[in-house]
């Protein structure tokens, strides 16, 4: 992984995209998801924008205090998303516009409630930054595997707020981590498509889509529309 991998999924002047549904009778709160890859121009922008898209599909235009953002361990500050990554997002009906890459900083890790990385190396780099990040940092595919093993009935219902549900999901996944290991070392990796032709970008987009779908379903308690 030698080249930039995009990720800044929200808008030119924004640090994150916030989906803002407030449930009646509940205090306003937020849950921040941080997607991390290398250059923050390919994988993490795709993952960030797809997460926002899926949350909007499940919860409507207004969403529940969910903030979705991204950064790169070697992020190119101010860089645009790769054109092939934009095409992949458009294939899924997600909005690629206004993306600006950024370098991963301590403040991003400190503020994140859940960090999802493209690879195990990225996960190790995030955890090495400290800030008690170990219990809330997973590779995307690792988190998917753990989420699939969690009984949804053990999580707070959406009526109690998506933020509360999301926090409970992260705690449950962290508790399972040592009991549900990856079948192979490669099973938790999303490989870098930087510089590859569009068909390979699309295959990576499909991987990310398949990994994200059960995660967003578990976060919101709302399955994908068929």
């Amino acid at each position: 992984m030698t080249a930039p991998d995009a990720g800044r999924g929200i808008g030119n002047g924004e640090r994150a995209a916030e989906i803002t549904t407030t449930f009646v009778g509940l205090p306003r709160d937020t849950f921040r998801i941080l997607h991390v890859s290398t250059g923050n121009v390919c994988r993490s922008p795709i993952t960030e924008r797809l997460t926002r898209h899926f949350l909007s599909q499940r919860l409507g235009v207004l969403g529940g205090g969910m903030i979705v953002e991204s950064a790169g361990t070697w992020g190119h500050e101010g860089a645009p998303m790769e054109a092939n990554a934009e095409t992949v997002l458009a294939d899924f009906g997600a909005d690629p516009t206004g993306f600006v890459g950024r370098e991963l900083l301590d403040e991003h890790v400190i503020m994140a409630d859940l960090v999802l990385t493209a690879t195990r190396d990225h996960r190790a780099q995030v955890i090495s930054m400290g800030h008690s990040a170990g219990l809330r940092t997973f590779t995307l595919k690792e988190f998917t595997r753990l989420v699939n093993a969690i009984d949804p009935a053990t999580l707070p219902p959406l009526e109690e707020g998506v933020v509360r549900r999301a926090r409970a999901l992260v705690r449950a996944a962290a508790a399972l981590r040592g009991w549900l290991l990856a079948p192979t070392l490669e099973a938790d990796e999303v490989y870098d498509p930087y510089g590859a032709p569009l068909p390979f970008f699309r295959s990576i987009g499909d991987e990310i889509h398949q990994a994200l779908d059960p995660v967003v379903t578990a976060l919101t308690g709302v399955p994908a529309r068929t």
Side-chain angles (χ1 to χ4, degrees), residues 71-192:
T73 55
W74 289 86
H76 287 216
E77 196 75 28
M81 187 187 310
E82 283 292 298
N84 282 344
E86 291 185 345
T87 299
V88 168
L89 287 169
D91 288 345
F92 289 113
D95 182 10
T97 61
F99 186 88
V100 179
R102 62 181 188 168
E103 182 179 359
L104 180 67
L105 302 177
D106 288 80
E107 67 188 65
H108 305 144
V109 177
I110 291 168
M111 295 176 68
D113 297 289
L114 172 62
V115 184
L116 296 177
T117 70
T119 70
R120 290 172 292 124
D121 283 345
H122 296 133
R123 181 185 64 194
Q125 289 180 65
V126 171
I127 293 173
S128 74
M129 295 172 74
H131 315 302
S132 304
L135 292 178
R136 50 195 166 90
T137 302
F138 310 80
T139 73
L140 171 62
K141 289 185 175 181
E142 174 191 22
F143 195 65
T144 302
R145 184 176 66 254
L146 297 171
V147 160
N148 284 334
I150 296 169
D151 182 355
T154 64
L155 300 173
L158 185 59
E159 290 75 15
E160 295 183 12
V162 69
V163 170
R164 183 180 178 196
R165 182 183 177 92
R167 288 177 177 158
L169 182 68
V170 173
R171 289 194 298 270
L176 278 177
R177 196 197 314 251
W179 298 92
L180 194 62
L181 303 178
T184 66
L185 293 178
E186 294 75 23
D188 286 341
E189 305 284 290
V190 176
Y191 291 107
D192 192 352

Side-chain angles (χ1 to χ4, degrees), residues 48-92:
E48 178 187 348
R49 291 301 179 95
L50 277 182
T51 303
R52 293 176 57 197
H53 181 63
F54 291 160
L55 286 170
S56 294
Q57 286 182 323
R58 305 299 206 280
L59 301 175
V61 177
L62 301 178
M66 304 295 284
I67 299 173
V68 186
E69 58 188 352
S70 62
T73 55
W74 289 86
H76 287 216
E77 196 75 28
M81 187 187 310
E82 283 292 298
N84 282 344
E86 291 185 345
T87 299
V88 168
L89 287 169
D91 288 345
F92 289 113

